[in-house]
Amino acid sequence: AYKRFSELLPKEERENAFSARVPKSQILTLHELRANPFQHRICHVFSTSETGDDSMSFEDFLDMLSVFSDSATSDIKSHYAFRIFDFDDDGTLDRKDLEQLVNCLTGQGEESRLSSAEMEQLIQNILEESDIDKDGTINLSEFQHVVSRSPDF
């Protein structure tokens, strides 16, 4: 992990990799993130940057790798998946978050974009299945409940 992290840094900074921050643009060059539709959200969620530039320290990088490893528990994975899908960082998945989530999964192209009616029906189905307290949003415990019933998650 340290070797991969340090390789993202310019040569002159590699000897100080423990104290360096890798810019988001470099993190996005990782093979595992290149084709991920949530790549920007992943960087945002795992970054501890105080400037909001989504750069990563070595610890941030390790956290990201550990959550995506096969040995991470489903509780940890679902917690971070929830945070990644919570586009406005308000602690709930509302209709806007769900619409962005669907758009990330289906692609932004005209040929793959859902119609307004299809999007509304899909969001309604998601909420009917997941929104246990019927408040119009999905909170972390509701999300984890749905995920626990999905062995493929």
Side-chain angles (χ1 to χ4, degrees):
Y2 181 79
K3 183 177 185 295
R4 288 196 70 198
F5 181 80
S6 63
E7 287 171 352
L8 296 171
L9 290 165
K11 284 190 180 14
E12 63 274 8
E13 292 181 37
R14 288 183 183 167
E15 61 194 44
N16 297 320
F18 279 119
S19 59
R21 295 194 73 81
V22 171
K24 176 182 174 181
S25 60
Q26 283 299 106
I27 299 291
L28 294 178
T29 66
L30 289 169
H31 172 75
E32 296 84 352
L33 289 180
R34 247 183 261 148
N36 191 310
F38 301 101
Q39 59 181 232
H40 296 285
R41 285 296 302 163
I42 290 168
C43 287
H44 179 74
V45 166
F46 287 98
S47 173
T48 57
S49 171
E50 293 178 9
T51 64
D53 64 0
D54 294 343
S55 63
M56 286 192 191
S57 67
F58 180 59
E59 282 191 33
D60 297 339
F61 188 74
L62 278 179
D63 288 345
M64 179 181 71
L65 293 181
S66 67
V67 168
F68 289 112
S69 78
D70 290 339
S71 58
T73 66
S74 62
D75 271 358
I76 299 256
K77 287 181 183 291
S78 62
H79 171 81
Y80 279 95
F82 181 84
R83 288 190 54 207
I84 290 165
F85 300 160
D86 182 13
F87 289 89
D88 57 10
D89 295 320
D90 69 351
T92 63
L93 303 182
D94 59 18
R95 287 179 171 274
K96 277 191 172 305
D97 292 318
L98 295 173
E99 187 172 333
Q100 281 187 268
L101 171 59
V102 170
N103 283 334
C104 279
L105 292 172
T106 60
Q108 300 294 336
E110 287 300 314
E111 69 284 345
S112 61
R113 185 172 295 228
L114 298 182
S115 70
S116 299
E118 290 169 325
M119 180 67 80
E120 182 52 39
Q121 184 61 57
L122 181 56
I123 289 173
Q124 195 56 44
N125 291 349
I126 292 169
L127 288 171
E128 282 175 19
E129 185 74 26
S130 311
D131 183 17
I132 297 166
D133 62 10
K134 303 299 179 207
D135 67 350
T137 65
I138 301 168
N139 62 36
L140 177 59
S141 64
E142 290 168 331
F143 181 79
Q144 288 181 319
H145 176 72
V146 169
V147 167
S148 72
R149 298 182 325 202
S150 305
D152 291 341
F153 182 80

